[in-house]
Structures are given as structure tokens and as C-alpha cells.
Amino acid sequence: MSVGTFNETLRLLQTRGVVTVQRGPGGGLFAAEQTPMTRLAHSVLALDASQGDVAQALRIRNALEPLLWQDALWHAAPADVKDLRVCLEGMAEAAVSGDADEFVLANWRLHARVADITPNSLLCSLYVALLELVERHALAVRPQAGVSLAQHIRDRWELHAAMVDALDRRDEETLLRLVAEHDTTTAVDEG
């Protein structure tokens, strides 16, 4: 192994909190005591995306939604709202064309953009990691019984558009009510 490769590996391990380097007498390379943040990151990475892991990730993601949207309400700049509206346009185009797969992707882009607004890096990181886990293992949009797929997609677009409108108006009461209606555990078929 070259010195450069070793040094880069060592740097990555230090950055991830896996090892520490102590210089001087008695120094050397030591396993680091993992911080709670490091343990959390490793536990999220260790999820094997079984049906149970995806369902749990979706449940936790949905529990984080009110915090995420509330942070967006407090911190969104006009440019953020404009970006959210662009994401909504992608959802609308997919709804009109009946492309359920593209609708889901556009929906996730909207949620990732909402996560980008929060100044809370822990909330953003955890939410996006859970979103990515669900995204990688979701198979299809699944409407509620008695509702056509086309109607379900239109309803979901309207809900998200109303959420962005409430955020833009800084209407916290309406936004949190809409977020409570937003539970997606029945909207995605996990695989």
C-alpha cells in the first residue's frame, strides 16, 4: 500500500470517528470511543432494508415531518419557496401524464428540498437518510381502497401544493394540520 493511500484511509477513519491518532511518547493509532452521533450514523447505515426496516424508516420519517416543515416555515427564504414550487411543477406534470413513478420521484425531491431548508443539520441528515432508504426500496404507489391511482396522485399533489402555500403564507396552524394529514405509510408499497 502506498503512503498516500494509507494516509487518506487514516484521514477518512479519523473523520468518521473510528480511530484517533495520538502523537508523542505512548502515542499511536487507537480505536476511538464512538460518540452518540457516530453510533447513530452507523445504525442508520446498518439497516439492511428488510420490509421491517423500511416500514420503521417510513414511520420515523413521518414522525419527523412536523419538525421539518415547522423549521421550513421559520427559515424558508423566498428562493426556497420558489424551489419548492418548481418541485411541485414536476409533481403536477407527472400527475397530468399519469406517471406514478415520476410522481413519487418528484415528491421525494420536494421533501429533500424541504429538508435542505432547516438549519438543524441533525434533523436534515436523519430525515434525508430515512428518505433515501425508503426511496431505494419503494416499489409502487398504492392508493387507498376505492380510489383510482390517478385520483390518488392528484389528491397527493393538491395536499403538497397546499402545504407549500401554507408555508409561503407563514400559516403555521394550517401547515401543521396539513402535515398531520400527510402520513404516507399507506401511500407507498415497501419492498
Side-chain angles (χ1 to χ4, degrees):
M1 174 184 305
S2 74
V3 172
T5 301
F6 176 80
N7 287 337
E8 181 63 16
T9 302
L10 184 58
R11 186 189 67 74
L12 286 171
L13 292 172
Q14 285 179 288
T15 302
R16 293 181 181 167
V18 176
V19 299
T20 60
V21 176
Q22 296 178 358
R23 302 195 190 301
L29 182 63
F30 300 93
E33 183 177 332
Q34 290 188 344
T35 66
M37 290 300 296
T38 302
R39 286 192 303 273
L40 175 62
H42 287 279
S43 67
V44 170
L45 290 173
L47 291 174
D48 67 4
S50 68
Q51 178 91 9
D53 286 341
V54 173
Q56 289 174 16
L58 190 56
R59 183 172 177 235
I60 295 166
R61 189 206 75 152
N62 287 339
L64 294 176
E65 289 275 345
L67 293 173
L68 191 74
W69 282 90
Q70 195 167 41
D71 269 13
L73 179 82
W74 295 336
H75 300 285
D80 295 318
V81 175
K82 183 179 177 184
D83 288 349
L84 294 175
R85 294 203 184 280
V86 169
C87 294
L88 283 171
E89 289 172 12
M91 291 173 69
E93 290 170 9
V96 168
S97 70
D99 187 341
D101 293 336
E102 182 54 38
F103 181 83
V104 169
L105 293 174
N107 182 351
W108 286 329
R109 285 190 293 269
L110 174 81
H111 285 267
R113 184 60 183 92
V114 172
D116 285 341
I117 296 170
T118 181
N120 183 331
S121 60
L122 176 59
L123 175 59
C124 179
S125 296
L126 184 56
Y127 182 86
V128 169
L130 293 168
L131 183 65
E132 288 172 356
L133 177 73
V134 172
E135 180 180 355
R136 276 196 308 270
H137 300 284
L139 299 176
V141 175
R142 187 178 62 210
Q144 296 176 347
V147 177
S148 72
L149 180 59
Q151 183 61 49
H152 175 74
I153 290 172
R154 278 192 303 275
D155 292 346
R156 297 305 290 178
W157 176 82
E158 289 173 1
L159 175 62
H160 286 85
M163 290 165 68
V164 171
D165 288 344
L167 184 146
D168 192 19
R169 291 189 316 270
R170 305 294 190 221
D171 183 347
E172 185 172 14
E173 182 180 330
T174 299
L175 179 60
L176 293 179
R177 179 183 51 78
L178 293 168
V179 169
E181 294 175 18
H182 180 257
D183 184 346
T184 59
T185 53
T186 59
V188 176
D189 183 17
E190 303 89 23

